[in-house]
Amino acid sequence: MTPALPDLDDAVAGAARDLLLTRYPAAQFDATGRVSVTGFVYAPGAPGDGKARIGHRTPFPSPLNGISFADAAAEEYVLVSAYADLLRARGWSVRELKTTRPALLASPPACPDCSGPTLPITVEGEDIWRCSCGRRTYGGDPDDDVDLPSYRETDEHGVVTLYHGTGEVDIEATAEWAAQEDPDDEDEYDDEDPHAGCFEPHRTADGYADCDGRAL
């Protein structure tokens, strides 16, 4: 069946989180809401905008933890800049927000065909992007999309369609698949003749019998 597209805001925020986790830890908080472990923070942007808001948090500066306000501010700027570099390297569009502390507004790669928003999906273990128009992309150089894994989908009527990795219908492969599934091409020995071609007797409750049911 065609995979359903997930909620736009949650999917984009989750994709940003998963990408950042490949190199950086996420911030953790204690029961009071204070930062217990330094790391990035993320959240969806405005409802329906398909963007993720990203920042960095450190424990509150204190003589007890040896962190000064200057040190915390410097770390935030350095790490947020590093997050932006990683996102851009993977095809994301990133805008630096001018707030009291550094933050990013990031959107996933746009569809190469219609420039619409894309959402993350996983195909054969590969993380790729899919647009509502059906186009799939790695999210970087469109020339790399020729290596996207091909796939098939089944509609509500059981009709199977095979696609190139980019989402274009593979007409030849679909036709071959349909021919293989054609009932006229099934094995000549169907369910009505389960023992056709069998030459050995079968054990029954009444003794041995051949495939015609005659006692031996």
Side-chain angles (χ1 to χ4, degrees):
M1 300 294 291
T2 302
L5 292 175
D7 177 79
L8 179 65
D9 298 328
D10 290 342
V12 170
R17 173 205 61 209
D18 293 343
L19 174 54
L20 293 175
L21 281 173
T22 62
R23 294 190 185 178
Y24 304 100
Q28 297 182 28
F29 301 84
D30 62 20
T32 66
R34 294 181 177 179
V35 177
S36 58
V37 177
T38 298
F40 69 84
V41 290
Y42 70 97
D49 69 356
K51 294 179 173 59
R53 188 183 181 95
I54 300 161
H56 181 81
R57 295 292 181 270
T58 66
F60 190 80
S62 166
L64 297 178
N65 57 29
I67 301 175
S68 68
F69 283 96
D71 290 340
E75 180 176 321
E76 287 189 10
Y77 278 101
V78 169
L79 269 297
V80 168
S81 178
Y83 302 154
D85 290 342
L86 176 57
L87 289 162
R88 290 190 178 106
R90 294 295 295 272
W92 288 64
S93 297
V94 179
R95 180 164 66 90
E96 298 181 11
L97 300 177
K98 295 181 179 180
T99 60
T100 55
R101 58 200 314 177
L104 306 172
L105 198 60
S107 55
C111 174
D113 288 347
C114 70
S115 299
T118 60
L119 292 177
I121 60 173
T122 300
V123 178
E124 297 183 6
E126 292 194 69
D127 296 328
I128 62 178
W129 300 90
R130 180 188 176 209
C131 179
S132 59
C133 74
R135 177 67 154 86
R136 298 185 177 200
T137 177
Y138 278 127
D141 186 346
D143 290 339
D144 294 337
D145 292 347
V146 296
D147 296 324
L148 285 163
S150 58
Y151 63 99
R152 68 172 182 262
E153 292 180 352
T154 304
D155 65 16
E156 65 274 15
H157 303 295
V159 177
V160 176
T161 304
L162 281 77
Y163 295 84
H164 296 291
T166 56
E168 180 183 1
V169 176
D170 188 334
I171 298 176
E172 293 183 1
T174 299
E176 291 179 3
W177 178 276
Q180 294 173 2
E181 294 298 305
D182 191 331
D184 293 337
D185 294 335
E186 292 182 355
D187 194 290
E188 60 178 320
Y189 304 121
D190 56 24
D191 292 339
E192 296 180 358
D193 192 8
H195 296 298
C198 181
F199 299 100
E200 296 182 1
H202 296 270
R203 180 72 175 176
T204 68
D206 299 323
Y208 284 98
D210 67 9
C211 288
D212 295 329
R214 294 175 298 180
L216 298 177

